[in-house]
């Protein structure tokens, strides 16, 4: 619970900054100590807090795991910007923001390398079964059962990437050094790309050994990788997801793995984090990470710096350093005569 009286005594809230959801501890501290930020409470005190202080807020600072939805925007009548710590912003209602001329920022580029490294690490781990082999040794099974079963070669694999943006391109560059053949699917073909474009996710899956998801989350990509795509990838195929859990039909994925219709999966993201489907926990052909794609000291420091740069720029100029593309606001309805 936030001590609002203490905030008022120290002048907090004077710059109209509101922290929404947990953030990196050093960023939390900076928002409070330097910007006098309010911290949005959870639970019963939230409504009273918004009723008393909501009209003072001009900037909300949040993360891709929390975001700012339309309901919260409506309680912040003077909100002008949502500053997002992270590249993903699908938890913020950008349609509602656009309708109210609220701008939104994220932290692109600075995390591309680490997320791409994570994708390659997951691919190697799940195909070569390194985590499973580690468990085999720790359980003393090497002694009692002999050599671990053979795995599959990574170099020279056919890799399909869904979402050839900054992160997808960084993944492709790394896998090129492994001699992998790279194909991709986007909403549209990228002019000048050196990689082969495939017009649908299912067609891409049918042509590759590994399917890597690097697409943005949100309504437009929800369950883009569905049962049909997983079936096209097939019993010898591997799935790697470092994007958003919502892009995959998780129930269909669990069924495909359980039924042997998919060789394995490397997952850093899930539909309902931090809750991971119970069935996945016992599968030896699945590598599970707790959404750590960008979780390095160097990258998180760079993300924090860019978040604060966006906040500073908006407070001083009304502009953002790295604004995200906003949908066109729907035209106002024509009044009935």
């Amino acid at each position: 619970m936030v001590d609002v009286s203490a905030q008022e005594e120290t002048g907090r809230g004077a710059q109209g900054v509101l922290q929404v959801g947990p953030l990196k501890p050093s960023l939390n501290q900076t928002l409070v100590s330097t910007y006098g930020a309010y911290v949005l409470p959870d639970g019963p005190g939230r409504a009273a807090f918004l009723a008393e202080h909501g009209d003072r807020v001009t900037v909300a600072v949040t993360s891709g795991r929390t975001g700012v939805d339309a309901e919260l925007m409506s309680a912040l009548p003077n909100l002008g910007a949502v500053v997002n710590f992270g590249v993903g912003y699908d938890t913020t209602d950008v349609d509602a923001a656009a309708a109210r001329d609220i701008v939104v920022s994220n932290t692109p580029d600075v995390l591309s390398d680490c997320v791409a490294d994570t994708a390659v690490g997951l691919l190697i781990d799940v195909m070569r079964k390194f985590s499973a082999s580690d468990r085999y040794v720790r359980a003393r099974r090497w002694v009692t059962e002999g050599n671990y079963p053979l795995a599959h070669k990574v170099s020279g694999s056919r890799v399909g990437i869904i979402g050839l943006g900054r992160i997808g391109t960084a993944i492709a560059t790394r896998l090129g050094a492994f001699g992998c053949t790279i194909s991709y699917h986007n909403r549209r073909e990228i002019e000048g790309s050196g990689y082969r474009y495939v017009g649908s996710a299912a067609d891409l899956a049918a042509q590759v050994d590994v399917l890597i998801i690097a697409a943005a989350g949100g309504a437009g990509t929800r369950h883009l990788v569905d049962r049909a795509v997983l079936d096209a990838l097939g019993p010898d195929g591997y799935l790697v997801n470092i994007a958003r859990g919502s892009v995959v039909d998780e129930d269909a994925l669990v069924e495909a793995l359980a039924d042997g219709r998919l060789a394995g999966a490397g997952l850093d993201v899930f539909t309902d984090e931090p809750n991971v489907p119970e069935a996945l926990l016992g599968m030896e052909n699945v590598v599970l990470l707790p959404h750590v794609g960008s979780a390095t000291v160097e990258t998180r420091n760079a993300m924090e710096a860019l978040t604060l740069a966006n906040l500073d720029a908006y407070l001083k100029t009304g502009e953002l350093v790295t604004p995200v593309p906003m949908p066109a606001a729907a035209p106002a309805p024509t009044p009935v005569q």
Side-chain angles (χ1 to χ4, degrees), residues 177-193:
F178 283 76
C180 294
T181 302
I182 309 295
S183 306
Y184 74 97
H185 169 67
N186 271 11
R187 283 173 293 183
R188 60 186 65 85
E189 186 172 0
I190 299 174
E191 186 176 352
S193 171

Side-chain angles (χ1 to χ4, degrees), residues 227 230-231 251-262:
R227 186 181 303 275
L230 296 171
D231 284 344
D251 291 338
L253 173 62
V254 170
E255 289 179 14
L257 289 163
D259 295 344
R261 293 185 288 109
L262 196 64

Side-chain angles (χ1 to χ4, degrees), residues 211-243:
L211 187 66
I212 300 178
I213 303 169
T221 58
R222 184 178 184 275
H223 289 186
L224 176 62
V225 176
D226 57 11
R227 186 181 303 275
V229 173
L230 296 171
D231 284 344
L233 187 55
D236 296 321
Y238 295 86
L239 180 77
V240 172
N241 189 5
I242 46 79

Side-chain angles (χ1 to χ4, degrees), residues 132-216:
S133 299
D134 176 84
R135 292 190 293 271
Y136 189 82
V137 172
R138 292 174 188 274
R140 304 293 186 185
R141 294 175 64 188
W142 193 12
V143 175
T144 59
E145 300 178 36
N147 290 338
Y148 190 79
L150 297 179
H152 287 279
K153 183 179 178 181
V154 173
S155 296
S157 298
R158 300 172 301 165
V159 176
I161 300 174
I162 296 180
L164 197 71
R166 295 178 178 92
I167 293 172
T169 299
I171 294 168
T173 299
R174 284 157 173 73
L175 291 177
F178 283 76
C180 294
T181 302
I182 309 295
S183 306
Y184 74 97
H185 169 67
N186 271 11
R187 283 173 293 183
R188 60 186 65 85
E189 186 172 0
I190 299 174
E191 186 176 352
S193 171
Y195 306 112
R196 187 170 64 89
Y197 175 73
V198 180
S200 76
D203 287 344
L204 177 64
Q207 300 172 33
V208 299
D209 305 305
V210 184
L211 187 66
I212 300 178
I213 303 169

